[in-house]
Amino acid sequence: MPIARAEIERLVSSYPTPAVVGAVGSHSAIDIADGAATEGLANVVLAQRGREATYARYFRTLRGPDGARRRGCVDEVWEYAKFADLADGASQERLRGRGVLLVPNRAFSSYVPLVTVEEEFRVPVVGSRSMLRIEERTERDNYYALLESAGIPTPRAIPGPDAIDRLVIVKLPHAARRLERGFFTAASPEEFRAKRDALIARGTITSDDLAHARIEEYVLGPVFNFNFFFSPLVPRAEGLELLGVDERRESNLDGLVRLPAEQQLALPTADRIPDYLVVGHGTLTVRESILEEIFRLGERFVDASRTRYPPGILGAFCLQTCLDRNGSPIVFDVAARIGGGTNIHLGLGHPYGNALYRGPMSSGRRIALEIRRALADGRLKEIVS
Ligand code: AMP
């Protein structure tokens, strides 16, 4: 049984103060910690041993004799043998005992089993706990279903390999690195079969995963990840904010596109199939006349999420979008939590967030600001689940 929201509401009504902002130590934890530090909230990063140095050493808060922050933004690091251990009974008690409000990122929803998050993790999550599962493409109630109900354009689904009549992208997990992608493209059933065989032979994908793969139209156009924020603390008409836009750098895909065509063709066959391993992010803005449509999509997403997953989206979310040849946005993925590219506006903010807040506003800072406002007004239960 999923944990009832009323239980989390009861929990936060007697929560210890001051509240501590928590994040799992990967993905966007620096942005979350930096935002908390800027808003004057204490923070803790939940790290896996062996992956803790970024937080425990390089971004660790150092204070002067007067207690003022001299350097860094990560106040505390709690180490676990494995990330999943943070959901153990004793760990949950420690988190509650310190008043930790956990900001869910992809590291949290990837490394802690979703069923544990939904049914056992009795720690307030700043956002929409029940929406984390929609990111799993193999679920029936996934983000495609939500986008469709919202009337948001998505890439056309292709029913099977034999129906491939245009350039498609085949979406399935990587065979070995289960949290990464084993995506490939194909423009015909023959190309699908040839690449399938090559990728299975080199251990990139498995035929089991392929049986559940999503095949969809490949949108030829640039990728824009729209980092939104929705606040339930203000009137609905003021709730949606666009904070920033990022794009990804994907390992050898980005290497490939930086080569002239002749050199690409001279590569060994195995190197010509790109990997979609995200290794970094860049920042973008979007042509101003397109913004209106982006806001419309964001509003529709908020409304549909409130209907399908009450109370709906709370706080940060990201619509991952390709702009097609006409400049029309087509949403190919959704993060119902802070997106993976928000470190681009860490510290400095982003043109859009800054324009709204008249000063540096990152996603991490906006989340901390929301927590601070909710605490000040006694409305914490409205932003957690
Ligand atoms: P995802 O795992 O859905 O976030 O996708 C990873 C990457 O695959 C994206 O950053 C895009 O570069 C690419 N991609 C995914 N879906 C599509 C699509 N339908 N058309 C074009 N590119 C796509």
Side-chain angles (χ1 to χ4, degrees), residues 54-375:
T54 303
Y55 312 98
R57 182 170 170 200
Y58 297 106
F59 285 93
R60 184 74 180 246
T61 303
L62 297 179
R63 295 187 185 276
D66 57 352
R69 187 185 303 278
R70 264 200 304 117
R71 182 174 188 268
C73 59
V74 177
D75 294 338
E76 276 184 67
V77 177
W78 295 357
E79 276 180 39
Y80 299 84
K82 290 194 311 312
F83 281 122
D85 297 346
L86 68 91
D88 286 354
S91 166
Q92 287 193 37
E93 224 158 88
R94 186 178 181 203
L95 289 160
R96 286 191 295 265
R98 277 297 296 281
V100 172
L101 302 168
L102 190 88
V103 179
N105 57 16
R106 186 61 177 153
F108 174 63
S109 58
S110 299
Y111 296 125
V112 179
L114 281 172
V115 62
T116 306
V117 170
E118 290 165 346
E119 300 185 5
E120 290 166 33
F121 189 66
R122 289 179 163 76
V123 173
V125 163
V126 185
S128 313
R129 188 188 293 253
S130 65
M131 289 182 70
L132 296 174
R133 190 178 281 280
I134 70 169
E135 290 187 40
E136 307 306 317
R137 290 190 189 94
T138 46
E139 295 283 328
R140 205 165 51 86
D141 254 346
N142 59 16
Y143 66 87
Y144 291 108
L146 178 60
L147 293 171
E148 238 162 73
S149 74
I152 294 176
T154 54
R156 184 197 301 246
I158 308 292
D162 291 329
I164 297 175
D165 59 351
R166 65 194 73 201
L167 185 62
V168 300
I169 183 163
V170 184
K171 297 187 161 185
L172 69 169
H174 192 280
R177 303 186 304 259
R178 300 299 294 165
L179 299 175
E180 297 296 343
R181 297 162 189 79
F183 291 7
F184 64 98
T185 57
S188 65
E190 296 72 42
E191 188 185 347
F192 175 94
R193 284 192 279 274
K195 280 193 175 157
R196 172 197 65 193
D197 295 345
L199 288 168
I200 290 176
R202 84 178 199 207
T204 303
I205 61 171
T206 68
S207 47
D208 279 356
D209 286 327
L210 203 53
H212 309 287
R214 162 141 176 138
I215 306 177
E216 68 185 30
E217 182 170 17
Y218 188 93
V219 183
L220 269 181
V223 173
F224 287 72
N225 298 325
F226 293 99
N227 296 298
F228 285 103
F229 191 91
F230 179 73
S231 174
L233 301 179
V234 295
R236 172 68 188 84
E238 293 163 33
L240 183 70
E241 301 166 8
L242 175 64
L243 295 175
V245 189
D246 70 83
E247 62 169 337
R248 294 173 169 185
R249 294 285 184 273
E250 284 153 328
S251 63
N252 74 335
L253 172 63
D254 276 280
L256 277 169
V257 299
R258 296 178 66 222
L259 287 175
E262 276 180 12
Q263 286 180 36
Q264 291 179 6
L265 292 171
L267 288 169
T269 320
D271 285 339
R272 282 195 233 160
I273 305 180
D275 283 294
Y276 288 81
L277 179 72
V278 178
V279 290
H281 303 91
T283 186
L284 290 173
T285 57
V286 70
R287 181 177 165 154
E288 203 158 307
S289 58
I290 296 175
L291 271 177
E292 195 93 1
E293 179 63 5
I294 299 303
F295 280 113
R296 261 195 293 274
L297 298 188
E299 296 289 0
R300 284 193 208 149
F301 182 81
V302 170
D303 287 337
S305 75
R306 284 153 75 99
T307 306
R308 274 177 94 103
Y309 302 95
I313 192 76
L314 304 170
F317 68 98
C318 181
L319 298 184
Q320 295 170 229
T321 303
C322 284
L323 296 185
D324 72 7
R325 64 171 72 226
N326 304 312
S328 301
I330 300 183
V331 179
F332 64 85
D333 204 352
V334 167
R337 35 103 192 140
I338 186 167
T342 70
N343 280 354
I344 53 148
H345 35 99
L346 167 67
L348 289 173
H350 185 278
Y352 296 136
N354 300 0
L356 270 178
Y357 282 90
R358 317 308 314 143
M361 185 53 70
S362 62
S363 290
R365 183 172 184 188
R366 182 64 188 84
I367 292 168
L369 175 65
E370 187 81 343
I371 294 173
R372 217 162 48 71
R373 285 179 174 167
L375 283 168

